[in-house]
mmCIF file of all heavy atoms in Angstrom:
data_model
loop_
_atom_site.group_PDB
_atom_site.id
_atom_site.type_symbol
_atom_site.label_atom_id
_atom_site.label_comp_id
_atom_site.label_asym_id
_atom_site.label_seq_id
_atom_site.Cartn_x
_atom_site.Cartn_y
_atom_site.Cartn_z
ATOM 1 N N PRO A 10 -4.877 24.984 -7.902
ATOM 2 C CA PRO A 10 -5.576 24.864 -9.183
ATOM 3 C C PRO A 10 -4.983 23.816 -10.147
ATOM 4 O O PRO A 10 -4.967 24.060 -11.347
ATOM 5 C CB PRO A 10 -5.392 26.268 -9.762
ATOM 6 C CG PRO A 10 -4.006 26.668 -9.287
ATOM 7 C CD PRO A 10 -3.776 25.956 -7.975
ATOM 8 N N GLU A 28 -7.054 -1.579 -10.458
ATOM 9 C CA GLU A 28 -8.082 -0.750 -9.821
ATOM 10 C C GLU A 28 -8.154 -1.067 -8.319
ATOM 11 O O GLU A 28 -8.291 -0.160 -7.507
ATOM 12 C CB GLU A 28 -9.459 -0.977 -10.456
ATOM 13 C CG GLU A 28 -9.655 -0.243 -11.778
ATOM 14 C CD GLU A 28 -8.893 -0.860 -12.933
ATOM 15 O OE1 GLU A 28 -8.626 -2.090 -12.882
ATOM 16 O OE2 GLU A 28 -8.551 -0.133 -13.881
ATOM 17 N N GLU A 33 -7.217 0.546 -2.669
ATOM 18 C CA GLU A 33 -6.551 0.368 -1.367
ATOM 19 C C GLU A 33 -5.744 1.606 -1.012
ATOM 20 O O GLU A 33 -5.786 2.090 0.113
ATOM 21 C CB GLU A 33 -5.593 -0.828 -1.426
ATOM 22 C CG GLU A 33 -6.243 -2.141 -1.119
ATOM 23 C CD GLU A 33 -5.217 -3.268 -1.040
ATOM 24 O OE1 GLU A 33 -4.009 -2.982 -0.874
ATOM 25 O OE2 GLU A 33 -5.648 -4.424 -1.160
ATOM 26 N N ASP A 34 -5.012 2.125 -1.996
ATOM 27 C CA ASP A 34 -4.189 3.312 -1.759
ATOM 28 C C ASP A 34 -5.063 4.535 -1.490
ATOM 29 O O ASP A 34 -4.737 5.371 -0.645
ATOM 30 C CB ASP A 34 -3.286 3.593 -2.969
ATOM 31 C CG ASP A 34 -2.197 2.539 -3.134
ATOM 32 O OD1 ASP A 34 -1.966 1.770 -2.171
ATOM 33 O OD2 ASP A 34 -1.580 2.487 -4.208
ATOM 34 N N VAL A 60 -13.911 6.634 -3.145
ATOM 35 C CA VAL A 60 -13.929 5.909 -1.874
ATOM 36 C C VAL A 60 -14.612 6.809 -0.850
ATOM 37 O O VAL A 60 -14.628 8.029 -1.005
ATOM 38 C CB VAL A 60 -12.511 5.496 -1.388
ATOM 39 C CG1 VAL A 60 -11.882 4.505 -2.350
ATOM 40 C CG2 VAL A 60 -11.594 6.707 -1.198
ATOM 41 N N GLU A 85 -30.827 20.376 0.754
ATOM 42 C CA GLU A 85 -30.345 20.948 1.999
ATOM 43 C C GLU A 85 -29.012 21.639 1.738
ATOM 44 O O GLU A 85 -28.175 21.133 0.996
ATOM 45 C CB GLU A 85 -30.150 19.797 2.996
ATOM 46 C CG GLU A 85 -29.803 20.221 4.388
ATOM 47 C CD GLU A 85 -29.627 19.010 5.316
ATOM 48 O OE1 GLU A 85 -29.027 18.007 4.876
ATOM 49 O OE2 GLU A 85 -30.088 19.090 6.451
ATOM 50 N N GLY A 90 -16.107 20.924 2.783
ATOM 51 C CA GLY A 90 -14.700 21.228 2.584
ATOM 52 C C GLY A 90 -14.172 20.188 1.611
ATOM 53 O O GLY A 90 -14.922 19.310 1.178
ATOM 54 N N LEU A 112 -20.355 -0.165 -9.470
ATOM 55 C CA LEU A 112 -19.755 -1.486 -9.293
ATOM 56 C C LEU A 112 -18.989 -1.504 -7.985
ATOM 57 O O LEU A 112 -18.398 -0.492 -7.599
ATOM 58 C CB LEU A 112 -18.782 -1.779 -10.445
ATOM 59 C CG LEU A 112 -19.330 -1.739 -11.870
ATOM 60 C CD1 LEU A 112 -18.175 -1.889 -12.864
ATOM 61 C CD2 LEU A 112 -20.376 -2.820 -12.094
ATOM 62 N N ARG A 117 -18.947 -6.214 -9.292
ATOM 63 C CA ARG A 117 -20.368 -6.596 -9.305
ATOM 64 C C ARG A 117 -21.244 -5.350 -9.217
ATOM 65 O O ARG A 117 -20.930 -4.428 -8.458
ATOM 66 C CB ARG A 117 -20.694 -7.488 -8.093
ATOM 67 C CG ARG A 117 -19.936 -8.794 -8.087
ATOM 68 C CD ARG A 117 -20.189 -9.558 -6.810
ATOM 69 N NE ARG A 117 -19.743 -8.786 -5.637
ATOM 70 C CZ ARG A 117 -19.379 -9.350 -4.477
ATOM 71 N NH1 ARG A 117 -19.437 -10.642 -4.323
ATOM 72 N NH2 ARG A 117 -18.992 -8.600 -3.463
ATOM 73 N N ARG A 152 -17.372 32.466 -3.535
ATOM 74 C CA ARG A 152 -16.446 31.787 -4.443
ATOM 75 C C ARG A 152 -15.246 32.679 -4.738
ATOM 76 O O ARG A 152 -14.096 32.252 -4.722
ATOM 77 C CB ARG A 152 -17.165 31.392 -5.733
ATOM 78 C CG ARG A 152 -16.253 30.699 -6.732
ATOM 79 C CD ARG A 152 -17.018 29.924 -7.759
ATOM 80 N NE ARG A 152 -17.910 30.771 -8.532
ATOM 81 C CZ ARG A 152 -19.214 30.589 -8.639
ATOM 82 N NH1 ARG A 152 -19.813 29.599 -8.020
ATOM 83 N NH2 ARG A 152 -19.942 31.406 -9.362
ATOM 84 N N MET A 154 -14.128 35.073 -2.859
ATOM 85 C CA MET A 154 -13.314 35.163 -1.645
ATOM 86 C C MET A 154 -12.468 33.905 -1.469
ATOM 87 O O MET A 154 -11.298 33.974 -1.102
ATOM 88 C CB MET A 154 -14.217 35.377 -0.424
ATOM 89 C CG MET A 154 -14.658 36.825 -0.276
ATOM 90 S SD MET A 154 -16.165 37.017 0.733
ATOM 91 C CE MET A 154 -15.638 36.282 2.262
#
Side-chain angles (χ1 to χ4, degrees):
E28 281 74 27
E33 273 186 19
D34 291 345
V60 296
E85 187 180 41
L112 302 173
R117 298 174 299 206
R152 179 161 60 237
M154 280 159 59

